[in-house]
Amino acid sequence: VVLKIIKHYQEEGQGNEVVQGVLLGLVVDDRLEITNCFPFPQHTEDDADFDEVQYQMEMMRSLRHVNIDHLHVGWYQSTYYGSFVTRALLDSQFSYQHAIEESVVLIYDPIKTAQGSLSLKAYRLTPKLMEVCKEKDFSPEALKKASIAYENMFEEVPIVIKNSYLINVMLWELEKKSAVADRHELLSLASSNHLGKSLQLLMDRVDEMSQDIVKYNTYLRNVSKQQQQKHQYQQRRQQENIQRQSRGEAPLPEEDINKLFKPPQPPPRMESLLIAGQINTYCQNIKEFNAQNLGKLFMAQALQDYNN
């Protein structure tokens, strides 16, 4: 499955192009075994007749006919510098997890993998976030009541990768044919491009967060302004009723003040939580890049000392 995901990205992923596919497998005791996968085909806007659901059903039916695991257990997606915490991913994972409780999403990071270690993580939506998504109420009050923050939106599931003996043999053969002639190249500190790109993406998300904060502050000012208007209206009504009472007239009829002053709609806060989660991911990437470079620096110094 891992090799299929990597192959899918190498064939169809270009730059920040995201590739996706379906995970197949079964539940055994207390673990989910992912034993097969297949990619979503690339299609353009001209392919208006393409039906992804129908395509998945036909693929799983074909796999069942040849006795290959065909049970749907989630999906996978590549990521670009860790930029996977999006509303699209949240909505897709909610749909999968709502229909198939054990569903997971595998996130494959080709950029980290190219640095020398496989980057593959599995995520699920937490029960709290599932409840909020079912209600479709992303107002500040609903999220506060559910105690939802970016730290408890997703839960990471530990992954154990098991290879068959044939796969182990193939990996040994590939290692012998590796294009890296000088293994010392792996100790290169030339990761400034990755670090710079992560910093640029981090700054973009911080800008989005500041714009979201401006929108929320505007909402609070509008609420405060409306409260003042309601208070002034109530005072005028009260004075007018006192004057009418002094003239022996009936007081003005009661009115629903909420209909006269319709409260402003609060901005949804889910986007802010996703942006905060993305900022956290970029910060973790930068920390990892710095830690890797520090480790390479010590290793290169140790090699130089050993050679001397």
Side-chain angles (χ1 to χ4, degrees):
V1 174
V2 174
L3 292 175
K4 283 184 178 180
I5 293 174
I6 295 174
K7 182 173 180 286
H8 183 198
Y9 176 80
Q10 289 177 343
E11 290 179 349
E12 298 186 8
Q14 299 177 356
N16 59 354
E17 187 74 21
V18 172
V19 298
Q20 298 176 332
V22 174
L23 299 175
L24 306 172
L26 66 162
V27 177
V28 179
D29 298 329
D30 60 345
R31 67 184 183 274
L32 175 67
E33 293 191 358
I34 300 172
T35 57
N36 198 7
C37 68
F38 62 86
F40 289 144
Q42 293 279 17
H43 58 276
T44 61
E45 296 178 356
D46 298 331
D47 303 329
D49 298 333
F50 181 78
D51 189 343
E52 283 192 358
V53 176
Q54 183 66 25
Y55 172 80
Q56 293 181 44
M57 297 300 293
E58 291 178 359
M59 280 292 297
M60 288 187 287
R61 191 179 301 113
S62 301
L63 292 171
R64 184 175 66 248
H65 288 163
V66 293
N67 292 326
I68 296 177
D69 290 338
H70 62 278
L71 298 179
H72 211 153
V73 294
W75 60 298
Y76 70 84
Q77 174 182 307
S78 65
T79 184
Y80 180 66
Y81 286 95
S83 55
F84 64 90
V85 185
T86 62
R87 184 61 180 271
L89 181 132
L90 187 148
D91 292 340
S92 296
Q93 181 57 24
F94 170 74
S95 299
Y96 275 93
Q97 209 165 316
H98 183 64
I100 308 169
E101 186 178 355
E102 62 269 12
S103 295
V104 298
V105 54
L106 287 183
I107 302 296
Y108 168 63
D109 193 330
I111 295 174
K112 285 186 179 180
T113 302
Q115 300 300 308
S117 61
L118 175 65
S119 178
L120 192 69
K121 295 185 178 182
Y123 292 98
R124 285 170 52 83
L125 301 186
T126 59
K128 287 184 177 181
L129 187 58
M130 285 293 295
E131 290 298 323
V132 172
C133 291
K134 286 178 185 178
E135 298 296 331
K136 296 182 179 180
D137 184 5
F138 303 117
S139 64
E141 292 77 13
L143 294 176
K144 183 179 180 181
K145 182 179 179 181
S147 300
I148 295 291
Y150 73 87
E151 297 95 337
N152 57 8
M153 294 176 66
F154 297 91
E155 57 182 355
E156 185 175 350
V157 183
I159 297 176
V160 177
I161 300 175
K162 295 185 178 181
N163 292 332
S164 68
Y165 294 115
L166 290 176
I167 294 295
N168 285 332
V169 171
M170 188 189 74
L171 290 174
W172 280 107
E173 290 294 325
L174 289 176
E175 186 174 4
K176 292 178 182 178
K177 298 177 182 179
S178 175
V180 181
D182 184 4
R183 296 291 176 177
H184 293 174
E185 290 180 14
L186 296 175
L187 298 178
S188 172
L189 300 179
S191 62
S192 58
N193 290 338
H194 302 304
L195 185 61
K197 188 63 179 178
S198 295
L199 285 170
Q200 183 60 52
L201 291 169
L202 175 61
M203 289 188 291
D204 292 342
R205 295 294 89 77
V206 171
D207 288 341
E208 291 180 11
M209 177 64 79
S210 64
Q211 293 173 8
D212 207 61
I213 291 173
V214 169
K215 292 179 182 178
Y216 190 66
N217 288 335
T218 302
Y219 161 75
L220 293 178
R221 286 196 298 270
N222 291 337
V223 169
S224 176
K225 183 178 179 180
Q226 189 182 73
Q227 290 294 335
Q228 292 179 356
Q229 292 174 348
K230 288 168 66 174
H231 182 66
Q232 292 173 358
Y233 177 81
Q234 289 173 332
Q235 284 184 331
R236 287 199 302 269
R237 294 274 296 186
Q238 187 177 7
Q239 291 175 358
E240 191 170 350
N241 281 333
I242 292 174
Q243 293 175 359
R244 292 173 67 90
Q245 188 176 7
S246 65
R247 296 194 298 265
E249 298 176 0
L252 295 172
E254 292 290 335
E255 293 181 346
D256 188 355
I257 195 168
N258 290 325
K259 290 184 178 180
L260 294 174
F261 297 92
K262 191 174 181 179
Q265 191 70 19
R269 300 296 289 165
M270 183 56 70
E271 293 298 332
S272 300
L273 293 179
L274 292 171
I275 293 172
Q278 195 63 71
I279 289 174
N280 182 64
T281 301
Y282 290 142
C283 290
Q284 292 295 330
N285 288 346
I286 293 171
K287 286 172 64 178
E288 289 177 9
F289 279 131
N290 290 336
Q292 286 176 0
N293 280 343
L294 189 60
K296 289 178 182 179
L297 191 62
F298 284 131
M299 186 66 73
Q301 184 63 47
L303 270 174
Q304 184 179 1
D305 295 343
Y306 176 78
N307 291 332
N308 292 336

